Every structure is written in C-alpha cells, then in structure tokens.
Amino acid sequence: MFDTITVIGFGLIGSSLARKIKEQSLCKTLICADREESVCKTVMHLGLADQATTNLEEGVQHADLVIIAVPVGAYEHVGAAISQSLKSGAIVMDVGSVKENAILTLAPHIPENVSFIPAHPIAGTENSGPESGFSNLFEGRWAILTPIDKEKDPKAVEKISEFWKACGSMVEIMDAKHHDRVLGITSHLPHLIAYTIVGTATNLEEDTKSEVIKYSAGGFRDFTRIAASDPTMWRDIFLSNKDAVLDILQRFNEDLTELQKAIRNGESDKLFEYLTETSAIRKAVIEAKQEIPPAPIE
Ligand code: NAP
C-alpha cells in the first residue's frame, strides 16, 4: 500500500498500528521515530520496525505515510520538527483523540504538496508504551476520519480509508467539531468521571480506602481500570477539547442534580423510569458489537 511508513510515537496506538502494518505487509519499510532512545531500542529489540530514530526530521524524510501517534499536547513540537522534511506527495495522518485542535495545531505545519488526513481510531486500552500494543486492537472498531476538505483531496482520503480497513476497522467520515462533541460524551466525560470517583476514594480515610479496594469487585473496579489511563494523554485531551467537555459536564451536573433531588424526595417512579431508560443504551451498544473490550490474541 505504501513504500515507506514512519510512525512518530511508538506507544499503545503507534506500536499496535506498526504490528498490524507488519502483519499485513502494508509497506516495504517501517520507521519508528520516537523522542526516547529507550523506546527506539525496545522497538528494534521487539522487531516492530525496520529502523528507529530519535531524530524526527530524518525519520520522516522518505516516508509516503507519516503517522503521528503522540499525545495531542506534543503536536506543536512534532509539527514544527517535521514540517521542512516531509516528502512531496506524502500523506500525514494523526490518530489523536481530539480533532478540531489537532487540525488547528498541525495544519499550519503541513506544506501545500503534502496531504493531511486527521483520524481517530475508537480503540484503546488503559496501557501505554510499545510493549502494550497488539495487532488486533483495531479489529471491528471504528476509525473516524475528519478531513479538513473532503473534496480537496479525495485520493488521500480514499487511501487512508483503505489503510484503516486493512487494519480491520470500519471507516466513518465526520466533521471535526461534531467528532469532538460525540467523543466528549462517549469517551472524555466517562474518563473524567472515572478519575473523579477514584480520586474521591483516594481522599477517604486510610481504613475506608482499604475496604474500597477489598470490595472493589462492583462498579468501582471498572472505574479504576479507566482511571489508570495515561495522565499525559488525558490531561491533553481535556484541555484540547475544553469547550465540548465543559458543556457536556454542565449537562451531566444538571442530570445528577435531578437524580439527587429524586433520591432525597423519595421519588421512586421518577428514579425507576430514569434507570429503565438507560438500559436501552446498553442493549444498543451490545447490538452494535462494541461492548467487548479489545484483548490481545498474540
Ligand atoms: P502512549 O502509549 O503514551 O504513547 C505515546 C508515545 O509518544 C510515547 O512513546 C511517547 O514517548 C511518545 N512521544 C511523546 N511526545 C513525543 C514527542 N514530542 N516526540 C516524539 N515522541 C513523543 O500514547 P497512546 O495511548 O499510544 O496515544 C497516542 C495518541 O493516540 C494520542 O494522541 C491519543 O489521544 C490517541 N489515542 C489514544 C487511545 C488510547 O486509548 N490510548 C485511543 C485512540 C487514540 P514518552 O514515553 O517519552 O512520553
């Protein structure tokens, strides 16, 4: 599909893509570009790439496809570093969880003769680093593309769609602002709530905390998994998608206040109705085959 692919940032997403690229032979040469020498050493040791470098400029200069897989807060640095070295006709794709800000930050660094296709795979785990990746992470998951102008570069959009399909994903094209709103509710708010619940428990008395851990088999255990996600990545997501996250948080607070009132006033019917309505969403998630967390099969 490509002659040379360079993946910048060899963490969970970058290394999972690299594994799939190798498995499906989607390019002749795969290059790892990561700021950490230790990451480059691990990547070569695990055989995840053909070459590895900490020099981003050098890493991208022969690439037909450059995949940016670093936290969104590092986009300005990465964009500025690669801008002058990108090959004419190359495609740059990021995989960041926030799209409007990704476009605002990266697009000014992409030269006229290079295509930029922002993307976001709706797949992940709470783990980070090159060892945590696995090749079937994207299997049966959505990859959302948010091209700045669909009409301007249809060939690049088509090629990137084919790339994600080769990784096992289903592809959807969406406006970046709409993406950020949808993901604000389905991903960013749940993470914020998980961090808050686990944070509240952490602030409890020492003896109560030990009981929280002891009896965590209930809902709390699932929250601790989500709240173990990478703090750099999530700090960057909350700050980059600030408007959508704050707006959705406001609505959430209003609903929570309604439930609080219903409990205080013993409004049994109102509570029951609310709890019944939400189970329909769970059914729909299962029917859409999006309920099972991805698991490594290697
Ligand atoms: P990760 O496991 O933490 O990996 C990020 C990698 O990028 C690390 O190796 C990191 O190195 C490297 N890096 C950071 N800043 C860099 C820079 N300036 N130059 C070069 N390399 C740099 O993160 P991830 O989970 O793969 O996430 C990567 C991107 O995918 C993020 O934008 C995230 O929003 C998006 N995403 C994540 C998920 C998910 O569930 N994890 C899902 C979909 C999309 P250090 O170790 O030195 O920091």
Side-chain angles (χ1 to χ4, degrees), residues 177-194:
K177 199 179 178 71
H178 184 64
H179 164 279
D180 290 356
R181 225 182 136 63
V182 172
L183 270 291
I185 183 70
T186 60
S187 170
H188 308 170
L189 182 69
H191 275 82
L192 195 66
I193 293 169

mmCIF file with all atom_site columns, all heavy atoms in Angstrom, residues 177-194:
data_model
loop_
_atom_site.group_PDB
_atom_site.id
_atom_site.type_symbol
_atom_site.label_atom_id
_atom_site.label_alt_id
_atom_site.label_comp_id
_atom_site.label_asym_id
_atom_site.label_entity_id
_atom_site.label_seq_id
_atom_site.pdbx_PDB_ins_code
_atom_site.Cartn_x
_atom_site.Cartn_y
_atom_site.Cartn_z
_atom_site.occupancy
_atom_site.B_iso_or_equiv
_atom_site.pdbx_formal_charge
_atom_site.auth_seq_id
_atom_site.auth_comp_id
_atom_site.auth_asym_id
_atom_site.auth_atom_id
_atom_site.pdbx_PDB_model_num
ATOM 1   N N   . LYS A 1 177 ? -15.585 19.120 14.453 1.00 0.00 ? 177 LYS A N   1
ATOM 2   C CA  . LYS A 1 177 ? -16.299 19.687 15.607 1.00 0.00 ? 177 LYS A CA  1
ATOM 3   C C   . LYS A 1 177 ? -17.327 18.674 16.139 1.00 0.00 ? 177 LYS A C   1
ATOM 4   O O   . LYS A 1 177 ? -17.462 18.480 17.346 1.00 0.00 ? 177 LYS A O   1
ATOM 5   C CB  . LYS A 1 177 ? -16.998 20.982 15.176 1.00 0.00 ? 177 LYS A CB  1
ATOM 6   C CG  . LYS A 1 177 ? -17.377 21.882 16.330 1.00 0.00 ? 177 LYS A CG  1
ATOM 7   C CD  . LYS A 1 177 ? -18.038 23.146 15.792 1.00 0.00 ? 177 LYS A CD  1
ATOM 8   C CE  . LYS A 1 177 ? -18.480 24.063 16.902 1.00 0.00 ? 177 LYS A CE  1
ATOM 9   N NZ  . LYS A 1 177 ? -17.411 24.713 17.605 1.00 0.00 ? 177 LYS A NZ  1
ATOM 10  N N   . HIS A 1 178 ? -18.012 18.029 15.186 1.00 0.00 ? 178 HIS A N   1
ATOM 11  C CA  . HIS A 1 178 ? -19.015 17.036 15.574 1.00 0.00 ? 178 HIS A CA  1
ATOM 12  C C   . HIS A 1 178 ? -18.329 15.863 16.281 1.00 0.00 ? 178 HIS A C   1
ATOM 13  O O   . HIS A 1 178 ? -18.811 15.353 17.299 1.00 0.00 ? 178 HIS A O   1
ATOM 14  C CB  . HIS A 1 178 ? -19.777 16.576 14.323 1.00 0.00 ? 178 HIS A CB  1
ATOM 15  C CG  . HIS A 1 178 ? -20.886 15.631 14.634 1.00 0.00 ? 178 HIS A CG  1
ATOM 16  N ND1 . HIS A 1 178 ? -21.979 16.003 15.388 1.00 0.00 ? 178 HIS A ND1 1
ATOM 17  C CD2 . HIS A 1 178 ? -21.067 14.310 14.330 1.00 0.00 ? 178 HIS A CD2 1
ATOM 18  C CE1 . HIS A 1 178 ? -22.786 14.964 15.529 1.00 0.00 ? 178 HIS A CE1 1
ATOM 19  N NE2 . HIS A 1 178 ? -22.251 13.935 14.893 1.00 0.00 ? 178 HIS A NE2 1
ATOM 20  N N   . HIS A 1 179 ? -17.188 15.424 15.728 1.00 0.00 ? 179 HIS A N   1
ATOM 21  C CA  . HIS A 1 179 ? -16.414 14.348 16.356 1.00 0.00 ? 179 HIS A CA  1
ATOM 22  C C   . HIS A 1 179 ? -16.114 14.684 17.816 1.00 0.00 ? 179 HIS A C   1
ATOM 23  O O   . HIS A 1 179 ? -16.300 13.863 18.719 1.00 0.00 ? 179 HIS A O   1
ATOM 24  C CB  . HIS A 1 179 ? -15.094 14.134 15.591 1.00 0.00 ? 179 HIS A CB  1
ATOM 25  C CG  . HIS A 1 179 ? -14.086 13.335 16.360 1.00 0.00 ? 179 HIS A CG  1
ATOM 26  N ND1 . HIS A 1 179 ? -13.281 13.896 17.338 1.00 0.00 ? 179 HIS A ND1 1
ATOM 27  C CD2 . HIS A 1 179 ? -13.762 12.009 16.331 1.00 0.00 ? 179 HIS A CD2 1
ATOM 28  C CE1 . HIS A 1 179 ? -12.518 12.965 17.867 1.00 0.00 ? 179 HIS A CE1 1
ATOM 29  N NE2 . HIS A 1 179 ? -12.784 11.808 17.271 1.00 0.00 ? 179 HIS A NE2 1
ATOM 30  N N   . ASP A 1 180 ? -15.638 15.904 18.062 1.00 0.00 ? 180 ASP A N   1
ATOM 31  C CA  . ASP A 1 180 ? -15.218 16.277 19.417 1.00 0.00 ? 180 ASP A CA  1
ATOM 32  C C   . ASP A 1 180 ? -16.393 16.281 20.396 1.00 0.00 ? 180 ASP A C   1
ATOM 33  O O   . ASP A 1 180 ? -16.238 15.984 21.577 1.00 0.00 ? 180 ASP A O   1
ATOM 34  C CB  . ASP A 1 180 ? -14.545 17.657 19.390 1.00 0.00 ? 180 ASP A CB  1
ATOM 35  C CG  . ASP A 1 180 ? -13.191 17.597 18.697 1.00 0.00 ? 180 ASP A CG  1
ATOM 36  O OD1 . ASP A 1 180 ? -12.762 16.484 18.328 1.00 0.00 ? 180 ASP A OD1 1
ATOM 37  O OD2 . ASP A 1 180 ? -12.556 18.655 18.522 1.00 0.00 ? 180 ASP A OD2 1
ATOM 38  N N   . ARG A 1 181 ? -17.571 16.617 19.890 1.00 0.00 ? 181 ARG A N   1
ATOM 39  C CA  . ARG A 1 181 ? -18.769 16.623 20.736 1.00 0.00 ? 181 ARG A CA  1
ATOM 40  C C   . ARG A 1 181 ? -19.202 15.190 21.065 1.00 0.00 ? 181 ARG A C   1
ATOM 41  O O   . ARG A 1 181 ? -19.480 14.854 22.207 1.00 0.00 ? 181 ARG A O   1
ATOM 42  C CB  . ARG A 1 181 ? -19.898 17.348 19.988 1.00 0.00 ? 181 ARG A CB  1
ATOM 43  C CG  . ARG A 1 181 ? -20.606 18.272 20.847 1.00 0.00 ? 181 ARG A CG  1
ATOM 44  C CD  . ARG A 1 181 ? -21.736 19.020 20.306 1.00 0.00 ? 181 ARG A CD  1
ATOM 45  N NE  . ARG A 1 181 ? -22.800 18.978 21.281 1.00 0.00 ? 181 ARG A NE  1
ATOM 46  C CZ  . ARG A 1 181 ? -22.734 19.499 22.496 1.00 0.00 ? 181 ARG A CZ  1
ATOM 47  N NH1 . ARG A 1 181 ? -21.641 20.116 22.894 1.00 0.00 ? 181 ARG A NH1 1
ATOM 48  N NH2 . ARG A 1 181 ? -23.742 19.405 23.329 1.00 0.00 ? 181 ARG A NH2 1
ATOM 49  N N   . VAL A 1 182 ? -19.215 14.349 20.018 1.00 0.00 ? 182 VAL A N   1
ATOM 50  C CA  . VAL A 1 182 ? -19.628 12.949 20.218 1.00 0.00 ? 182 VAL A CA  1
ATOM 51  C C   . VAL A 1 182 ? -18.657 12.248 21.179 1.00 0.00 ? 182 VAL A C   1
ATOM 52  O O   . VAL A 1 182 ? -19.068 11.590 22.132 1.00 0.00 ? 182 VAL A O   1
ATOM 53  C CB  . VAL A 1 182 ? -19.680 12.203 18.849 1.00 0.00 ? 182 VAL A CB  1
ATOM 54  C CG1 . VAL A 1 182 ? -19.923 10.718 19.052 1.00 0.00 ? 182 VAL A CG1 1
ATOM 55  C CG2 . VAL A 1 182 ? -20.770 12.800 17.963 1.00 0.00 ? 182 VAL A CG2 1
ATOM 56  N N   . LEU A 1 183 ? -17.359 12.415 20.926 1.00 0.00 ? 183 LEU A N   1
ATOM 57  C CA  . LEU A 1 183 ? -16.368 11.747 21.771 1.00 0.00 ? 183 LEU A CA  1
ATOM 58  C C   . LEU A 1 183 ? -16.330 12.360 23.168 1.00 0.00 ? 183 LEU A C   1
ATOM 59  O O   . LEU A 1 183 ? -15.970 11.699 24.139 1.00 0.00 ? 183 LEU A O   1
ATOM 60  C CB  . LEU A 1 183 ? -14.989 11.766 21.097 1.00 0.00 ? 183 LEU A CB  1
ATOM 61  C CG  . LEU A 1 183 ? -14.684 10.559 20.198 1.00 0.00 ? 183 LEU A CG  1
ATOM 62  C CD1 . LEU A 1 183 ? -14.521 9.299  21.052 1.00 0.00 ? 183 LEU A CD1 1
ATOM 63  C CD2 . LEU A 1 183 ? -15.737 10.296 19.142 1.00 0.00 ? 183 LEU A CD2 1
ATOM 64  N N   . GLY A 1 184 ? -16.734 13.622 23.257 1.00 0.00 ? 184 GLY A N   1
ATOM 65  C CA  . GLY A 1 184 ? -16.821 14.274 24.569 1.00 0.00 ? 184 GLY A CA  1
ATOM 66  C C   . GLY A 1 184 ? -17.746 13.496 25.475 1.00 0.00 ? 184 GLY A C   1
ATOM 67  O O   . GLY A 1 184 ? -17.432 13.258 26.652 1.00 0.00 ? 184 GLY A O   1
ATOM 68  N N   . ILE A 1 185 ? -18.869 13.033 24.918 1.00 0.00 ? 185 ILE A N   1
ATOM 69  C CA  . ILE A 1 185 ? -19.844 12.309 25.750 1.00 0.00 ? 185 ILE A CA  1
ATOM 70  C C   . ILE A 1 185 ? -19.491 10.824 25.879 1.00 0.00 ? 185 ILE A C   1
ATOM 71  O O   . ILE A 1 185 ? -19.617 10.235 26.944 1.00 0.00 ? 185 ILE A O   1
ATOM 72  C CB  . ILE A 1 185 ? -21.308 12.514 25.236 1.00 0.00 ? 185 ILE A CB  1
ATOM 73  C CG1 . ILE A 1 185 ? -22.334 11.812 26.141 1.00 0.00 ? 185 ILE A CG1 1
ATOM 74  C CG2 . ILE A 1 185 ? -21.529 12.072 23.822 1.00 0.00 ? 185 ILE A CG2 1
ATOM 75  C CD1 . ILE A 1 185 ? -22.517 12.421 27.461 1.00 0.00 ? 185 ILE A CD1 1
ATOM 76  N N   . THR A 1 186 ? -19.001 10.200 24.776 1.00 0.00 ? 186 THR A N   1
ATOM 77  C CA  . THR A 1 186 ? -18.784 8.746  24.839 1.00 0.00 ? 186 THR A CA  1
ATOM 78  C C   . THR A 1 186 ? -17.446 8.355  25.468 1.00 0.00 ? 186 THR A C   1
ATOM 79  O O   . THR A 1 186 ? -17.287 7.226  25.927 1.00 0.00 ? 186 THR A O   1
ATOM 80  C CB  . THR A 1 186 ? -18.841 8.108  23.431 1.00 0.00 ? 186 THR A CB  1
ATOM 81  O OG1 . THR A 1 186 ? -17.820 8.711  22.629 1.00 0.00 ? 186 THR A OG1 1
ATOM 82  C CG2 . THR A 1 186 ? -20.187 8.305  22.773 1.00 0.00 ? 186 THR A CG2 1
ATOM 83  N N   . SER A 1 187 ? -16.487 9.275  25.481 1.00 0.00 ? 187 SER A N   1
ATOM 84  C CA  . SER A 1 187 ? -15.159 8.897  25.983 1.00 0.00 ? 187 SER A CA  1
ATOM 85  C C   . SER A 1 187 ? -14.599 9.884  27.017 1.00 0.00 ? 187 SER A C   1
ATOM 86  O O   . SER A 1 187 ? -14.162 9.479  28.091 1.00 0.00 ? 187 SER A O   1
ATOM 87  C CB  . SER A 1 187 ? -14.205 8.780  24.791 1.00 0.00 ? 187 SER A CB  1
ATOM 88  O OG  . SER A 1 187 ? -12.891 8.645  25.204 1.00 0.00 ? 187 SER A OG  1
ATOM 89  N N   . HIS A 1 188 ? -14.638 11.188 26.683 1.00 0.00 ? 188 HIS A N   1
ATOM 90  C CA  . HIS A 1 188 ? -13.949 12.146 27.550 1.00 0.00 ? 188 HIS A CA  1
ATOM 91  C C   . HIS A 1 188 ? -14.659 12.310 28.896 1.00 0.00 ? 188 HIS A C   1
ATOM 92  O O   . HIS A 1 188 ? -14.005 12.291 29.946 1.00 0.00 ? 188 HIS A O   1
ATOM 93  C CB  . HIS A 1 188 ? -13.782 13.491 26.825 1.00 0.00 ? 188 HIS A CB  1
ATOM 94  C CG  . HIS A 1 188 ? -13.136 13.329 25.467 1.00 0.00 ? 188 HIS A CG  1
ATOM 95  N ND1 . HIS A 1 188 ? -13.050 14.332 24.532 1.00 0.00 ? 188 HIS A ND1 1
ATOM 96  C CD2 . HIS A 1 188 ? -12.540 12.247 24.881 1.00 0.00 ? 188 HIS A CD2 1
ATOM 97  C CE1 . HIS A 1 188 ? -12.443 13.887 23.445 1.00 0.00 ? 188 HIS A CE1 1
ATOM 98  N NE2 . HIS A 1 188 ? -12.131 12.630 23.628 1.00 0.00 ? 188 HIS A NE2 1
ATOM 99  N N   . LEU A 1 189 ? -15.999 12.455 28.879 1.00 0.00 ? 189 LEU A N   1
ATOM 100 C CA  . LEU A 1 189 ? -16.724 12.587 30.145 1.00 0.00 ? 189 LEU A CA  1
ATOM 101 C C   . LEU A 1 189 ? -16.595 11.315 31.015 1.00 0.00 ? 189 LEU A C   1
ATOM 102 O O   . LEU A 1 189 ? -16.285 11.429 32.203 1.00 0.00 ? 189 LEU A O   1
ATOM 103 C CB  . LEU A 1 189 ? -18.203 12.933 29.900 1.00 0.00 ? 189 LEU A CB  1
ATOM 104 C CG  . LEU A 1 189 ? -19.020 13.129 31.172 1.00 0.00 ? 189 LEU A CG  1
ATOM 105 C CD1 . LEU A 1 189 ? -18.592 14.394 31.918 1.00 0.00 ? 189 LEU A CD1 1
ATOM 106 C CD2 . LEU A 1 189 ? -20.516 13.203 30.871 1.00 0.00 ? 189 LEU A CD2 1
ATOM 107 N N   . PRO A 1 190 ? -16.794 10.096 30.437 1.00 0.00 ? 190 PRO A N   1
ATOM 108 C CA  . PRO A 1 190 ? -16.612 8.898  31.269 1.00 0.00 ? 190 PRO A CA  1
ATOM 109 C C   . PRO A 1 190 ? -15.227 8.820  31.914 1.00 0.00 ? 190 PRO A C   1
ATOM 110 O O   . PRO A 1 190 ? -15.097 8.395  33.064 1.00 0.00 ? 190 PRO A O   1
ATOM 111 C CB  . PRO A 1 190 ? -16.816 7.738  30.281 1.00 0.00 ? 190 PRO A CB  1
ATOM 112 C CG  . PRO A 1 190 ? -17.683 8.311  29.216 1.00 0.00 ? 190 PRO A CG  1
ATOM 113 C CD  . PRO A 1 190 ? -17.320 9.764  29.099 1.00 0.00 ? 190 PRO A CD  1
ATOM 114 N N   . HIS A 1 191 ? -14.188 9.236  31.186 1.00 0.00 ? 191 HIS A N   1
ATOM 115 C CA  . HIS A 1 191 ? -12.849 9.224  31.793 1.00 0.00 ? 191 HIS A CA  1
ATOM 116 C C   . HIS A 1 191 ? -12.754 10.239 32.928 1.00 0.00 ? 191 HIS A C   1
ATOM 117 O O   . HIS A 1 191 ? -12.186 9.957  33.982 1.00 0.00 ? 191 HIS A O   1
ATOM 118 C CB  . HIS A 1 191 ? -11.770 9.494  30.731 1.00 0.00 ? 191 HIS A CB  1
ATOM 119 C CG  . HIS A 1 191 ? -11.350 8.248  30.006 1.00 0.00 ? 191 HIS A CG  1
ATOM 120 N ND1 . HIS A 1 191 ? -12.066 7.728  28.957 1.00 0.00 ? 191 HIS A ND1 1
ATOM 121 C CD2 . HIS A 1 191 ? -10.307 7.402  30.204 1.00 0.00 ? 191 HIS A CD2 1
ATOM 122 C CE1 . HIS A 1 191 ? -11.477 6.617  28.527 1.00 0.00 ? 191 HIS A CE1 1
ATOM 123 N NE2 . HIS A 1 191 ? -10.397 6.404  29.271 1.00 0.00 ? 191 HIS A NE2 1
ATOM 124 N N   . LEU A 1 192 ? -13.345 11.412 32.708 1.00 0.00 ? 192 LEU A N   1
ATOM 125 C CA  . LEU A 1 192 ? -13.308 12.452 33.747 1.00 0.00 ? 192 LEU A CA  1
ATOM 126 C C   . LEU A 1 192 ? -14.033 11.960 35.003 1.00 0.00 ? 192 LEU A C   1
ATOM 127 O O   . LEU A 1 192 ? -13.550 12.148 36.127 1.00 0.00 ? 192 LEU A O   1
ATOM 128 C CB  . LEU A 1 192 ? -13.975 13.721 33.208 1.00 0.00 ? 192 LEU A CB  1
ATOM 129 C CG  . LEU A 1 192 ? -13.715 15.003 33.987 1.00 0.00 ? 192 LEU A CG  1
ATOM 130 C CD1 . LEU A 1 192 ? -12.248 15.396 33.902 1.00 0.00 ? 192 LEU A CD1 1
ATOM 131 C CD2 . LEU A 1 192 ? -14.575 16.143 33.435 1.00 0.00 ? 192 LEU A CD2 1
ATOM 132 N N   . ILE A 1 193 ? -15.165 11.293 34.806 1.00 0.00 ? 193 ILE A N   1
ATOM 133 C CA  . ILE A 1 193 ? -15.933 10.773 35.949 1.00 0.00 ? 193 ILE A CA  1
ATOM 134 C C   . ILE A 1 193 ? -15.138 9.669  36.663 1.00 0.00 ? 193 ILE A C   1
ATOM 135 O O   . ILE A 1 193 ? -15.073 9.639  37.888 1.00 0.00 ? 193 ILE A O   1
ATOM 136 C CB  . ILE A 1 193 ? -17.314 10.244 35.479 1.00 0.00 ? 193 ILE A CB  1
ATOM 137 C CG1 . ILE A 1 193 ? -18.158 11.425 34.981 1.00 0.00 ? 193 ILE A CG1 1
ATOM 138 C CG2 . ILE A 1 193 ? -18.036 9.504  36.592 1.00 0.00 ? 193 ILE A CG2 1
ATOM 139 C CD1 . ILE A 1 193 ? -19.427 11.015 34.255 1.00 0.00 ? 193 ILE A CD1 1
ATOM 140 N N   . ALA A 1 194 ? -14.513 8.791  35.879 1.00 0.00 ? 194 ALA A N   1
ATOM 141 C CA  . ALA A 1 194 ? -13.724 7.705  36.489 1.00 0.00 ? 194 ALA A CA  1
ATOM 142 C C   . ALA A 1 194 ? -12.577 8.282  37.322 1.00 0.00 ? 194 ALA A C   1
ATOM 143 O O   . ALA A 1 194 ? -12.347 7.862  38.456 1.00 0.00 ? 194 ALA A O   1
ATOM 144 C CB  . ALA A 1 194 ? -13.171 6.783  35.401 1.00 0.00 ? 194 ALA A CB  1
#
